């Protein structure tokens, strides 16, 4: 029996030594190749993930830095020079910025800094601040041909906390050359190569800039095995990054030949280890086959392992009689212990998971507390919290310290009676008690308070009680805004408004009186001088009297025209000029005006041409105002055009059905800077004519104001020595559709 057991054990050991080694040699070689291949892929994927993470930091860091200068630097309230200096400092601190632009939606101003010194590439926005975006966004990627590198734009809006409107926008152009440098600085292993493409497969970042500048394109959907950027079969790992509207892909690849070197080394190592293990196993089999090996010894070894807390594999008990029965009982005991250990491990794992959840919850709570602390400290409003029981201060922010002139260390744990005068403190305390009892938000529109450094101030305060789950008040929250300056401004505005209304009334009374007091004698002067010019009662005698009568009539007519212009201008500026709207024919009005100035033109030896087409549709407007505008423009053209010159009046419709009337002359013209001067009241372009033709300087200004009333515009183009063109542009709604 003992000999048979020894023989069986010998054969079993020989089989146990040889079969597993052969099987392991075959299986492990295949598994090792696959495992090494997978490990290579995992390493490449890990490298791609690290690069993607650093690129994501490249996009998040500028957003954080810009928000930092918005919140802590107060960039909106700085002067343009200080804003530009702050943007320049931010741009010089990081190579990531190509340019920085601060745009104001309120004033339309733009502050811009750039590494190239070029102006901003985007036009200022014309939208209302209330319609602007309120979140940070990235634009799509674009390739800048000037600097030969890709750029992406970051837009960071600045929102006014008072009305929730976007008032400013910070626009940053980010350089992808920083990512090129990042890829060039990485340590690669075994001919690894990393690069970045856009969603179309265009290479936008590579350690070798020439690859980017050649506009190299690859398949963006490659992953695993494929043809690499170098043109050889490679292992490829990819990670996607989404920035705003742009998707980018990070690729890390390694040639297959380079990766297979490790497989050959592993295969050779497996062969050596398998051969050594086989030789060692044969020696053990020969050695232990000569010993008395019994199941009892195996049970002893297993029991010893179990005593150390190890769970041995089950012992084979077939064919060993009572020893086999003992071994089966041992195996059963090991099984029960393993089940109990597994249950205990599961419970321990569950407890660990609960503990980790509690840790994460506490961490999130701490983060929220830090966030709320930061918000409260940086708000420009005074925020305070009092204990509901004794109304002692338990929280106070920086804005409150600055307003009251008292540090929070002096306030915390104190009541209003420790800080303010007794009557004022009693008012605050009584009011707080009412709020806690009423359980409502109390809005105190105007609340006087005495401060240490600023004297008496007025606050707009909102207070509300904070209650526990049972509904009992535990704290009183107060938020106060200093409205002293605003109240002062409102009072000044009311005073200024009253003064302006009084001045306007005085102006209206003066103009009404002037109209009556000056027009009556002037009409008599003009009438009598006209009778003298026409010799109604016979010749005047000397020819000088004829000249004097002509001068008196001309001067009176000019003066009455000036009075009419001043009165019309004052009505327009006061918003009291009412247009007598009707359908009028521009052709007929131009004909009337050219007839009225024909004598003046003939006296100056000028030709006036009416080029208005008869097919031109009617216009909705005020006939008197339109004739006054045309007469002023024609009179100016006659005054400033030398003898023998040409004056023409034309009109046309553009693509939008808007009508334009043009008065063109071949006169002396004006310089560019004189045009704006000529449009101002009581001013004329210098050197435009002789003193004999100098008027009041109201004509063009009055015409421009009439065009504003019509909803249109007056435009002047002029060339010195060649002439001037005045265009009257009416809106399309004033053109009467032709039947």
């Amino acid at each position: 029996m003992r000999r048979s057991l020894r023989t069986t054990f010998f054969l079993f050991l020989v089989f146990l030594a040889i079969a597993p080694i052969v099987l392991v040699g075959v299986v492990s070689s295949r598994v090792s190749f696959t495992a090494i291949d997978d490990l290579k892929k995992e390493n490449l994927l890990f490298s791609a993930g690290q690069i993607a993470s650093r690129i994501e930091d490249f996009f998040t860091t500028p957003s954080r830095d810009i928000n930092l200068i918005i919140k802590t630097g107060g960039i909106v309230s700085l002067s343009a020079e200080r804003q530009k200096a702050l943007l320049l400092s931010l741009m010089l601190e990081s190579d990531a910025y190509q340019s920085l632009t601060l745009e104001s939606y309120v004033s339309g101003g733009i502050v811009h800094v750039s590494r190239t010194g070029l102006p901003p590439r985007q036009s200022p926005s014309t939208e209302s601040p209330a319609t602007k975006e309120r979140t940070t966004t990235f634009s799509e990627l674009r390739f800048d041909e000037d600097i030969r590198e890709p750029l992406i734009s970051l837009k960071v809006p600045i929102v006014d906390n008072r009305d929730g409107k976007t008032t400013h926008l910070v626009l940053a152009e980010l350089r992808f050359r920083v990512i090129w440098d990042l890829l060039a600085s990485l340590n690669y292993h075994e001919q690894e190569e990393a690069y970045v493409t856009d969603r179309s497969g265009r290479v936008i970042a590579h350690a070798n800039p020439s690859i980017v500048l050649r506009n190299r394109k690859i398949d963006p959907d490659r992953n695993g095995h494929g043809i690499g950027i170098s043109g050889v079969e490679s292992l490829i790992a990819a990670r996607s990054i989404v920035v705003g509207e742009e998707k980018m892909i990070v690729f890390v690849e390694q040639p297959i030949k380079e990766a297979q070197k490790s497989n050959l080394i592993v295969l050779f190592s497996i062969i050596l280890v398998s051969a050594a293990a086989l030789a060692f196993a044969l020696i053990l089999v020969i050695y232990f086959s000569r010993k008395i090996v019994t199941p009892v010894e195996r049970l002893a070894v297993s029991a010893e392992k179990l005593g150390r807390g190890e769970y041995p594999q089950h012992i084979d008990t077939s064919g060993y009689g009572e020893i086999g029965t003992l071994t089966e009982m041992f195996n059963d005991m090991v099984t029960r212990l393993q089940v109990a250990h597994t249950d205990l491990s599961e419970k321990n794992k569950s407890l660990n998971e609960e503990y980790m959840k509690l840790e994460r919850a506490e961490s999130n709570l701490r983060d929220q507390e830090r966030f709320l602390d930061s918000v409260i400290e940086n708000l420009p409003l005074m925020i305070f919290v009092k204990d509901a029981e004794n109304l002692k201060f338990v929280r106070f922010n920086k804005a409150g310290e600055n307003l009251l002139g008292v540090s929070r260390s002096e306030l915390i744990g104190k009541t209003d009676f420790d800080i303010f005068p007794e009557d004022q403190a009693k008012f605050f305390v009584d009011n707080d008690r009412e709020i806690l009892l009423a359980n409502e938000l109390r809005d105190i529109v105007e609340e006087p308070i005495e401060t240490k450094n600023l004297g008496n101030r007025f606050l707009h305060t909102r207070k509300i009680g904070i209650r526990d789950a049972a509904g009992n008040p535990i704290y009183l929250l107060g938020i106060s805004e200093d409205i002293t300056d605003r109240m002062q401004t409102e009072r000044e505005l009311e005073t200024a408004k009253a003064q302006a209304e009084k001045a306007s009334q005085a102006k209206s009374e003066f103009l009404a009186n002037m109209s009556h007091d000056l027009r009556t004698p002037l009409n008599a002067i003009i009438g009598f001088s006209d009778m003298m010019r026409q010799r109604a009662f016979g010749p005047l005698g000397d020819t000088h009297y004829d000249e004097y009568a002509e001068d008196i009539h001309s001067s009176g007519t000019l003066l009455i025209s000036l009075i009419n212009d001043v009165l019309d201008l004052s009505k327009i500026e006061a918003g009291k000029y009412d247009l007598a709207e009707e359908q009028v024919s521009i052709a007929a009005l131009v004909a009337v005006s050219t007839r009225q100035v024909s004598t003046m033109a003939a006296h100056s030896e000028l030709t006036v041409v009416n080029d208005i087409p008869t097919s031109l549709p009617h216009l909705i407007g005020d006939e008197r105002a339109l004739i006054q505008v045309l007469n002023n423009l024609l009179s100016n053209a006659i005054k400033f055009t030398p003898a023998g010159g040409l004056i023409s009046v034309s009109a046309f419709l553009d693509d939008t059905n808007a009508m334009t009337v043009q008065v063109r002359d071949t006169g002396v013209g004006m310089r560019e800077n004189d045009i704006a001067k000529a449009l101002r009241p009581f001013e004329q372009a210098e050197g435009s004519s002789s003193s004999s033709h100098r008027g009041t300087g109201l004509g063009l200004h009055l015409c421009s104001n009439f065009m504003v009333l019509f909803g249109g515009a007056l435009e002047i183009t002029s060339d010195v020595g060649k002439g001037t063109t005045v265009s009257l542009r009416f809106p399309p709604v004033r053109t009467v559709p032709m039947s």
Side-chain angles (χ1 to χ4, degrees), residues 12 60 196 304 394 404 493 628 677 697 721:
F12 175 76
T60 57
V196 184
E304 184 181 357
V394 296
L404 298 184
L493 287 175
Q628 189 171 354
K677 185 176 180 181

Side-chain angles (χ1 to χ4, degrees), residues 603-615:
H603 181 73
S604 300
E605 300 179 6
L606 299 174
T607 302
V608 179
V609 178
N610 183 351
D611 286 336
I612 304 296
T614 56
S615 60

Side-chain angles (χ1 to χ4, degrees), residues 276-427:
L278 178 60
F280 182 73
L282 290 174
I283 294 172
L284 288 179
V285 167
I286 294 172
Y287 175 77
F288 283 109
S289 66
R290 296 174 182 177
K291 302 294 182 179
I292 300 175
V293 182
T294 64
V296 176
E297 290 176 333
R298 296 170 64 189
L299 281 173
V301 173
S302 298
E304 184 181 357
K305 290 182 178 179
L306 187 61
R308 294 197 302 264
E310 301 176 7
Y311 293 96
Q313 294 183 354
H314 287 187
I315 302 170
D316 188 6
T317 61
S318 59
Y320 295 132
E322 290 80 2
I323 295 177
T325 303
L326 179 62
T327 305
E328 288 178 357
M329 294 176 64
F330 181 81
N331 289 339
D332 185 57
M333 180 186 67
V334 171
T335 300
R336 290 196 301 269
L337 288 174
Q338 285 179 322
V339 171
H341 183 268
T342 301
D343 292 341
L344 185 61
S345 298
E346 290 295 330
K347 292 179 180 179
N348 187 44
K349 181 180 179 182
S350 177
L351 288 175
N352 287 333
E353 289 177 353
E354 290 297 327
Y355 176 76
M356 293 302 296
K357 288 180 181 178
L358 289 175
E359 283 288 325
R360 287 193 294 270
E362 290 180 359
S363 177
N364 292 335
L365 183 59
R366 288 191 295 270
D367 291 342
Q368 291 176 4
E369 288 177 350
R370 284 193 294 270
F371 172 74
L372 289 176
D373 288 343
S374 177
V375 170
I376 291 173
E377 283 302 306
N378 289 286
L379 282 175
L381 306 178
M382 180 176 72
I383 298 178
F384 58 90
V385 179
K386 296 180 181 180
D387 183 82
E389 182 178 356
N390 48 34
L391 293 179
K392 290 183 178 180
F393 288 96
V394 296
R395 185 67 186 267
F396 213 76
N397 69 341
K398 187 67 177 178
E401 290 181 311
N402 295 335
L403 176 61
L404 298 184
V406 182
S407 66
R408 71 187 70 189
S409 60
E410 299 177 76
L411 282 169
I412 301 301
K414 304 291 181 62
T415 66
D416 290 322
F417 288 100
D418 299 322
I419 303 167
F420 303 106
E422 183 176 358
D423 55 342
Q424 196 171 63
K426 186 176 185 305
F427 171 77

Side-chain angles (χ1 to χ4, degrees), residues 30-88:
R30 182 174 182 83
V31 171
S32 297
F33 287 175
T34 304
I36 292 174
D37 195 32
D38 292 341
L39 182 60
K40 287 289 185 182
K41 292 179 181 178
E42 290 178 2
N43 289 338
L44 293 178
L45 192 60
F46 178 75
S47 298
Q50 285 188 317
I51 295 172
S53 177
R54 295 184 67 175
I55 293 175
E56 287 175 342
D57 290 341
F58 166 75
F59 291 107
T60 57
T61 299
S63 177
R64 183 180 63 248
D65 293 344
I66 291 172
N67 278 292
L68 185 61
I69 67 169
I70 292 173
K71 292 181 179 179
T72 62
I75 190 171
V76 174
S77 60
L78 300 178
S79 64
E81 290 79 8
R82 292 286 302 279
Q83 290 174 344
K84 187 170 185 179
L86 187 57
L87 293 179
L88 183 61

Side-chain angles (χ1 to χ4, degrees), residues 18 36 126 187 214 221 257 326 348 359 364 432 441 492 548 617 693:
I18 295 175
I36 292 174
T126 58
N187 294 322
R214 289 200 299 268
D221 297 323
K257 291 182 179 180
L326 179 62
N348 187 44
E359 283 288 325
N364 292 335
D432 293 345
L441 173 66
E492 291 175 356
Y548 296 157
H693 291 306

Side-chain angles (χ1 to χ4, degrees), residues 27 90 113 168 213 420 428 470 552 583 642 653 689 719 725 732:
V27 174
L90 179 60
V113 293
H168 294 74
L213 298 179
F420 303 106
F428 292 152
I552 292 171
Q583 292 187 16
L653 297 177
S689 69
D719 195 357
T725 299

